[in-house]
Structures are given as structure tokens and as C-alpha cells.
């Protein structure tokens, strides 16, 4: 009985962690730390890279938005994403 309770507890913990991770707040304002790097082709800051990695699941959504795609789907933005150690999404 104790093993069953322990297994159930572990499943609940894993489920809550996965749910929390899956819920990315897709808010392009979160990428403000990257604005300078994207617009001027300078090196991204650590804060920018943290936000790029957090917002990566949202990038396709941003690319499909006509107002945002001109900032996200650019050579500089692709360079920033790559310099932050992640890959540009294939949408």
C-alpha cells in the first residue's frame, strides 16, 4: 500500500512539473531584452538568451503574426537565437 501511494505521489509530481513547463506565457514583450541584439546585430545578453529559451515554443506563433514577423524572421534574430544556444524553429 505504501508503494502504491509513493508511486501515485511521484506521478502527480511529474505531471505537475510537465504541466508547468508546457504552459509558456507567449508574450512577445518578454523578448525586450533581445531588442538591441536583434536590431543592431550585437551579441545577445544573458537575459536575452534566458528569454529566447523561454519563448522558443512561441516563436512560430510570432513568425505567423504579420506585426511581429518582421522582427523575428530576420537574419539578426536568427543569429541571436543561434548565439543563445538554441535553434530557429521550423514552422
Amino acid at each position: 500500500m505504501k508503494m502504491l501511494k509513493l508511486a501515485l505521489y511521484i506521478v502527480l509530481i511529474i505531471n505537475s512539473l510537465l504541466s508547468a513547463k508546457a504552459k509558456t506565457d507567449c508574450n512577445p514583450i518578454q523578448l525586450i531584452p533581445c531588442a538591441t541584439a536583434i536590431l543592431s546585430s550585437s551579441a545577445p545578453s544573458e537575459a536575452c538568451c534566458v528569454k529566447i529559451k523561454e519563448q522558443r515554443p512561441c516563436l512560430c506563433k510570432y513568425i505567423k503574426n504579420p506585426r511581429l514577423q518582421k522582427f523575428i524572421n530576420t537574419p539578426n534574430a536568427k543569429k541571436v537565437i543561434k548565439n543563445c544556444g538554441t535553434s530557429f524553429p521550423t514552422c
Side-chain angles (χ1 to χ4, degrees), residues 44-82:
S45 66
E46 186 176 333
C48 169
C49 289
V50 167
K51 291 300 180 181
I52 286 286
K53 290 174 183 176
E54 286 176 3
Q55 293 288 303
R56 190 183 183 288
C58 306
L59 293 179
C60 283
K61 180 179 176 180
Y62 301 158
I63 290 168
K64 292 175 184 175
N65 181 322
R67 291 188 215 157
L68 299 174
Q69 69 183 195
K70 59 186 167 190
F71 300 107
I72 303 299
N73 199 17
T74 65
N76 283 351
K78 291 176 182 180
K79 182 179 171 185
V80 168
I81 291 167
K82 182 180 178 183

Side-chain angles (χ1 to χ4, degrees), residues 2-90:
K2 284 185 179 183
M3 290 298 284
L4 181 59
K5 285 183 181 180
L6 179 61
L8 182 58
Y9 181 70
I10 291 171
V11 168
L12 289 173
I13 290 173
I14 291 172
N15 188 38
S16 68
L17 290 173
L18 291 175
S19 294
K21 188 171 187 164
K23 294 179 183 177
T24 300
D25 179 23
C26 289
N27 183 350
I29 299 296
Q30 297 289 319
L31 295 175
I32 284 180
C34 300
T36 302
I38 291 172
L39 296 174
S40 69
S41 189
S42 61
S45 66
E46 186 176 333
C48 169
C49 289
V50 167
K51 291 300 180 181
I52 286 286
K53 290 174 183 176
E54 286 176 3
Q55 293 288 303
R56 190 183 183 288
C58 306
L59 293 179
C60 283
K61 180 179 176 180
Y62 301 158
I63 290 168
K64 292 175 184 175
N65 181 322
R67 291 188 215 157
L68 299 174
Q69 69 183 195
K70 59 186 167 190
F71 300 107
I72 303 299
N73 199 17
T74 65
N76 283 351
K78 291 176 182 180
K79 182 179 171 185
V80 168
I81 291 167
K82 182 180 178 183
N83 287 342
C84 286
T86 190
S87 61
F88 195 80
T90 303

